[in-house]
Amino acid sequence: MAEGQVVLITGGTGQVGQVVVGYFASHGAQVVVPYRSAERWEQLRAQLGEHAGRVIGIAAGDLADPAAARTLVEEALAQAGGLDAVLCLAGGFVGGRFTESSPEQWLQMMAINFWPTVHVLRAAVPHLLAHGGGRIVTVGARTALEPAGGATAYVAAKGAVITLTQALARELRGSGVTVNCIAPGTIDTPANREAMPKADPKTWVKPEEIAALLWYLCSPEAAAVTGAVIPIPGRG
């Protein structure tokens, strides 16, 4: 991205999102971050230090609600003056085998992983097209590319994100708007270390590595990359 360009990052107050926001802000981007918890927003601002002035926080509702997603994009445009890229990082994980998972779990995985991506992009894409171009990156999962048992609802939701990305990339081809998806394996976060204390985090994907890849996909050098689903399996 060029210095001063505007990127909207959903999930920016999460453990991976905070690293991505910091990376983009420190490299000169203007970052817009929706938040639902004022405490987590303040934690992010404190972590950003001298780069906090490059980040705009917008109190937002549940982005699985199309009205909340539309309001977020309108606020981002009003406060930042434009929109050059959208990173859909919001998501979450719940495990469970198919025969053990409840309908509520399936709805939850779609509400956390799929619908926010759909509704934010439905609101943002017309503005990117009117702008003459832009960058979109979504987040799938390695397990959606190599499906295994034990988290069926999560895998299906992330698979839906991947398919959406590929279809949207084809629809927007030639418009100047690129649409790509990253598919990380286990990410080295405090939550994952706590959940898997016997695993070796040295083999996991570092949030900084994800941030660097996202930065590249938003750069002019990646103008020819669209419709890609990029695995980030880690070192294991």
Side-chain angles (χ1 to χ4, degrees):
M1 298 186 74
E3 185 170 350
Q5 286 194 311
V6 180
V7 54
L8 170 62
I9 302 180
T10 70
T13 60
Q15 292 179 349
V16 176
Q18 289 184 29
V19 175
V20 174
V21 170
Y23 190 100
F24 273 70
S26 67
H27 283 69
Q30 180 77 53
V31 186
V32 180
V33 178
Y35 64 89
R36 298 181 69 182
S37 164
E39 180 181 359
R40 292 180 70 174
W41 165 241
E42 291 303 326
Q43 289 174 349
L44 173 60
R45 280 184 54 81
Q47 180 178 308
L48 290 167
E50 63 180 311
H51 303 297
R54 291 190 174 275
V55 181
I56 299 170
I58 297 177
D62 184 354
L63 298 180
D65 175 4
R70 186 167 54 251
T71 298
L72 167 64
V73 172
E74 291 171 352
E75 281 292 316
L77 289 164
Q79 294 194 39
L83 192 58
D84 299 289
V86 180
L87 306 183
C88 296
L89 308 188
F93 173 85
V94 174
R97 296 177 62 82
F98 182 75
T99 54
E100 300 164 354
S101 58
S102 66
E104 290 75 20
Q105 181 181 348
W106 280 80
L107 292 171
Q108 179 189 20
M109 286 296 89
M110 294 298 285
I112 294 175
N113 293 292
F114 182 65
W115 288 120
T117 299
V118 171
H119 296 319
V120 168
L121 292 183
R122 287 186 71 247
V125 165
H127 298 284
L128 295 176
L129 292 173
H131 183 56
R135 300 286 184 268
I136 294 169
V137 188
T138 65
V139 178
R142 180 184 180 181
T143 54
L145 298 177
E146 305 169 12
T152 318
Y154 171 78
V155 168
K158 285 298 191 181
V161 171
I162 290 171
T163 303
L164 167 67
T165 304
Q166 293 172 316
L168 184 58
R170 184 165 292 277
E171 285 189 14
L172 300 182
R173 189 169 296 174
S175 69
V177 179
T178 65
V179 192
N180 295 291
C181 180
I182 64 170
T186 304
I187 304 172
D188 188 2
T189 64
N192 282 336
R193 287 193 177 215
E194 182 179 353
M196 294 175 279
K198 295 183 179 180
D200 181 5
K202 293 178 183 177
T203 66
W204 297 350
V205 183
K206 299 182 185 304
E208 294 81 5
E209 294 169 331
I210 291 176
L213 177 57
L214 292 171
W215 179 264
Y216 168 72
L217 290 172
C218 290
S219 71
E221 290 76 14
V225 182
T226 193
V229 180
I230 305 173
I232 317 173
R235 298 159 183 79

